[in-house]
Amino acid sequence: MNLFDYVRPASVAEAVAAATEPGAAYLAAGTNLLDLMKLGAARPQRLVDITRLPGLDTIEALEDGGYRVGAMVRNADLARHPGFAAAFPAVAEALLSGASAQLRNMATVGGNLMQQTRCAYFHDTAAACNRRAPGTGCDAAGGENRTHAVLGWSPSCIATHPSDFCVALAALDAMVEIEGPFGRRKLALEEFHLLPGTTPERTTVLAPGEMVTALLLPPAAAGFRANARYLKLRERTSFAFALVSAAAALQLSGGRITAARIAMGGVAAKPWRARAAEEVLEGEAPERAAFERAAEAALSEAAPSGDNAFKIALAKRVVTRALSMAAAGTPARMPALPGSAFATDNGSSADE
Amino acid sequence: MNEPLPYPAAPVRHGSNSGQPMTRRDGRLKVTGAATYAADTHPEGLLHAALAVSSIARGRVSFLDVEAAKAHPGVVEVITPQNRPALAHDPDSKTLPFSFRMDALQNDRVRYAGQPIAVVVAETLEAATEGARLLAPRYEAEAARIGFGNGLPEPAPMVGVGAPGRAETGDLEAGFAAASQIVETGYETPAQYHNAMEPHAIVAAWDGDHLSIDMPNQAIAMSQASFAAFFGIPVQNVSLRSPFLGGGFGSKAILAGPQVLCILAARMLGRPVKLVLTRAQMYGPVGHRGATRQTLRLGTDAQGRLTALEHHAVSETSTFDDFIEPAANASLNLYASPAILARHDAMRMDTGTPGPMRAPGEASGSAALECAMDEAAQAAGLDPLTFRLINYAETDPISGKPYSAKELRACYMRGAESFGWAGRPLAPRQMRDENGLLTGWGMGSALFPAPMFQAEARAVLRADGSALVETSGADMGQGAWTALAQLAADGLGLDIDQVEFRSGSTDQPDGGIAGGSGHTATAGGALHAAGRDVVARLTELATADPESPLFGAGNSGVTARDGRLVRNDDESRSEAYADILARAGLEALEGTGRGARDPANAEARAMFSHGAVFAEVKVDPELGQIRVSRMVGAFAAGRIVNPRLARSQLYGGMIWGLSFALHEEAVHDLRSGRVMNADLAGYHVPVNADTPAMEALLIDEDDRFVNDLGIKGVGEIGITGSVGAIANAIWHATGVRVRRFPIRIEDVLGL
């Protein structure tokens, strides 16, 4: 069998020490890593199991109104945490739109940040893939790439980041807390994932041994609670990755947008914060024309990476709709189909 | 190897046997995990096999690192074409019944991606799996020919399982000349894979020249004979057990290379061997539904009557064998037209050979035909249901024969009424729901043949008046254990609780093939006949015995009921089975029965199940996301043995139709020839949230010709009609006619 070391550290410090070795990987719920290992797409020589580390599974409401969420908190627990879900409804909606109930019960907050692309060529060990095997090429380019990136891709990699959760987090200026061989640091989630450039094998800023220990939601993010939504487009209603998704959050005052937060999923190798679109909206009335201008701005730099030009037009529509849903107000209750265009309480459909 | 399964717990039911909506007899075994599937078999000394499969689609294997694999701890043997022991039957021949050419390491040639190229056998599954990886094959690759643009076109004289590739009636050109309107259109369907939840699995063990096999199997007796031929042993030396299948859908009716290789490994190593395909390995050597490109031409007169119907299908097949999806034949038996031509061509590609997959031909063909009918109705300015009624076939269009029974008109009417079809606007994009979603209604006709195969059964009445009935049938989840036992109980005149039913083993009489929607009619007919045979023998005993109250019943005869024979001329005179046996000094009384169609009826009548499916879809006008919100199907399929299970089968078929219309597609990389979504994360089937409110109406149909019991099948018809109904509803919602399946977001948005 494929032999690897399995280490179960007793503390974060021990974990970091164990994971600093070359070829080591942290094991949380394993909902992505174990699949990749079975496929042969990941072959770590050492698994550092952090599932039993103390103190990583708490959800703390901070005094300043923000939240600190341990890396080992399960997706389902976070999405159903009353305080968190009320403060950051778009994050909860994004979480509940992802994967399946069974996976959400297993998968962790930290693991969600660390998950790999679902590009089929990354999974297929017989295919060329610069992300999996640097320097081999990219078979997705010129291959089956209907679902691939339209923003931030490079000739070396056109894969997308699959997370829903991270899209909402990026929109709301979430911070990532990291422990590593050189101590603790914090950085914006927006900075956490890397675009492929010429080194697509580097998917995050983490240095060897560094570990995500917590997520921080700033108090300002809760200021969008009344008008925050996540919209995820896909053919299958559940248990499918986004073709395109968007998180949209607004602050409204006196019939004007005073602040806007927009990020897109399924379009790039990282959750794509659309700051240019946010700027378009500030000071505008929350109306369709402004939303459409914002969507144009959000995709202004987009280019097809293959047989996926339709995703650019589609992403504009998704951003426009997500903004319209956010403007209509966060629903009093989580929709039965979170993130779905078919959820009730989605406001009016646009072309009426 | 397995202990006999416990006699299943008594099912819930109301009233007598057949016709009652009994719950599954195997239900408790399955939900408690007591039901054993092939891969649950763990004989002593078991070895595990793992396949190494090709990552190229065409060429030859030039190198396998056998040494590295053999050096891996736990690996016992590596089987490649170099050391593979001889088989008594050539895997490239087609002399066995219903067989396909298979890949069993007969040489180093590669003819599709996913083809087995070596088998690694080890003490553990993990060691075998890693051993297979360590083989690190190298290839001399040639360019893959995948996709219709790259395939090798070829005429298709035969399609499906032995059907002619061309069928026609009337004068087609005269028909088109007489038409006031001609609609010409085309549809594409993708390669689809069966994806049974239970993967193909086999555990093989040899004892001298006796072979014992545990595997899911839809054709037990046929497989027994075929395996015997491969290994040069007498048929009776092969013992095969298949008590349950976790889905088959046609892919477990046909032998495949991996099974032969597992048996070979067990013989080579003198130990039992288990081989379970991975999900990805199910996208290669075990069949699939071949892709099609279909074109249709429909001529209609001023009244909307078809004057000519032409249906041409180009069907994908492999480079080395033929299974031509008989899609165009969907147009032969459904709509009246003075001229019909159905014809097929093949497109050879570097793929595993397609095979029958639930409604083979009918599903793909119906999808295209029902959409084309809608296009013709639209062109004629007619309501789709009206148009179909105008073209209702009173006799089978292609043969001119009368139908054995056809209640399609009732299906249309009851289905339309239940759905609320009346008032549907003719033009598309007219309806919105309360949330502003585009709403559309579509329909399709459903049709599936009512074949019968050959089956035998045995019934043994025991001294206590209970009975044991046996046939080697296949419970694939469709409920055969229950419906077949109901029929057996009817034949015996016993309450079903008095009937022990055994099935799924070569120890039993040949139950025929669980396929073609013919299993209940065929195996059920045999079981019923076996029961009647017991009753006849019992009647002889009783009526000839002066001690019996039935003595001399003679011409007026007796009726078997609730474990008693009752005189027809005097119901007060009856005798219990147990008493008749006791007086005759018999411990048991055995009867046998056969299930097969009366050849005279088969010759004289066209035999089909029919139905009508109505669908409502919602489409987001801006985002293009589609959701099927309601489906109503009405089906006439002869006598319904168990309405609960029949509805379940019909729902399953209708959901499959939804899956065909909106989700399923094997996506190939055209350069490598590999399926890029060979798992259930990438190959989508609907989840519960995609499954709409559903209704399956069972329309009474008395078919006196199809067989003695009037039974047709319900296993496959639900797919037909449903695909078209959904596609037509999407057109009605959006005004966009999508001519390729599955229908995607960008298709309806025109992006």
Side-chain angles (χ1 to χ4, degrees), chain A residues 1-3 38-40 43 120-121 123-128 138-144 146 231-241 243 288 292 310-311 313-314 317-318 320-321 337 340-345 347-352, chain B residues 55 72-73 124 126-131 133 429 432-438 618-627 662-663 667-672 674-677 679-687 689-690 743-746 749 751:
Chain A
M1 67 199 68
N2 170 23
L3 296 175
K38 289 176 195 168
L39 291 169
R43 296 186 69 82
Y121 296 90
H123 284 170
D124 175 8
T125 55
C138 173
D139 271 351
E144 280 298 325
R146 168 180 180 257
L231 175 63
K232 178 177 184 180
L233 200 59
R234 47 184 166 172
E235 269 88 6
R236 184 158 76 177
T237 306
S238 171
F239 205 8
F241 295 100
L243 197 52
R288 182 175 177 88
E292 286 178 345
F310 74 93
K311 282 184 69 173
L314 201 56
R317 297 179 185 208
V318 170
T320 304
R321 175 69 64 82
L337 296 172
S340 168
F342 294 109
T344 50
D345 297 322
S348 58
S349 93
D351 69 346
E352 276 182 307
Chain B
S55 62
H72 190 73
T124 65
E126 291 79 6
T129 303
E130 183 65 5
R133 192 192 67 81
R429 222 179 163 94
R432 299 261 182 160
D433 75 359
E434 65 279 12
N435 295 314
L437 296 168
L438 295 170
K618 304 287 178 75
V619 182
D620 188 294
E622 194 177 40
L623 304 178
Q625 197 170 346
I626 301 161
R627 187 168 166 84
L662 299 180
H663 297 292
V667 177
H668 290 85
D669 183 283
L670 297 183
R671 301 158 302 180
S672 71
R674 287 196 294 280
V675 176
M676 296 309 296
N677 58 341
D679 60 45
L680 292 174
Y683 184 99
H684 284 185
V685 297
V687 297
D690 296 303
I743 297 172
R744 302 176 302 189
I745 285 170
E746 64 266 37
L749 292 179
L751 292 177

Side-chain angles (χ1 to χ4, degrees), chain B residues 13 15-17 465 489-490 492-496 498 559-566 575-577:
Chain B
R13 68 187 181 87
S16 67
N17 302 312
D490 275 1
L492 283 160
L494 282 176
D495 188 282
I496 193 167
Q498 294 296 303
T559 296
R561 196 163 66 214
D562 297 333
R564 301 181 76 83
L565 293 182
V566 184
E575 189 166 29
Y577 294 175

Side-chain angles (χ1 to χ4, degrees), chain A residues 23-114:
Chain A
Y26 287 113
L27 174 69
T31 58
N32 187 207
L33 179 61
L34 297 185
D35 283 355
L36 293 173
M37 289 174 68
K38 289 176 195 168
L39 291 169
R43 296 186 69 82
Q45 287 143 37
R46 169 180 284 189
L47 287 185
V48 181
D49 182 348
I50 57 172
T51 53
R52 290 170 178 79
L53 286 185
L56 292 183
D57 59 352
T58 54
I59 303 169
E60 295 169 65
L62 303 177
E63 285 185 6
D64 64 3
Y67 266 80
R68 184 178 183 282
V69 181
M72 285 302 303
V73 171
R74 311 282 169 173
N75 286 356
D77 291 335
L78 183 58
R80 300 291 187 199
H81 184 278
F84 184 90
F88 315 108
V91 178
E93 187 168 21
L95 274 171
L96 293 174
S97 76
S100 64
Q102 294 86 342
L103 282 167
R104 292 194 296 270
N105 287 339
M106 275 298 280
T108 64
V109 160
N112 193 299
L113 268 59
M114 295 303 297

Side-chain angles (χ1 to χ4, degrees), chain B residues 211-274:
Chain B
L211 169 63
S212 156
I213 307 169
D214 292 274
M215 68 180 295
N217 195 298
Q218 294 178 244
I220 288 171
M222 199 169 71
S223 299
Q224 178 191 30
S226 297
F227 283 132
F230 269 105
F231 294 94
I233 55 176
V235 172
Q236 65 273 17
N237 285 16
V238 178
S239 164
L240 193 161
R241 287 174 298 274
S242 176
F244 302 110
L245 296 83
F249 314 123
S251 77
K252 291 170 181 165
I254 293 163
L255 298 195
Q259 297 146 4
V260 171
L261 289 170
C262 181
I263 298 169
L264 195 61
R267 190 165 69 172
M268 189 175 170
L269 299 169
R271 288 171 65 179
V273 177
K274 179 192 290 191

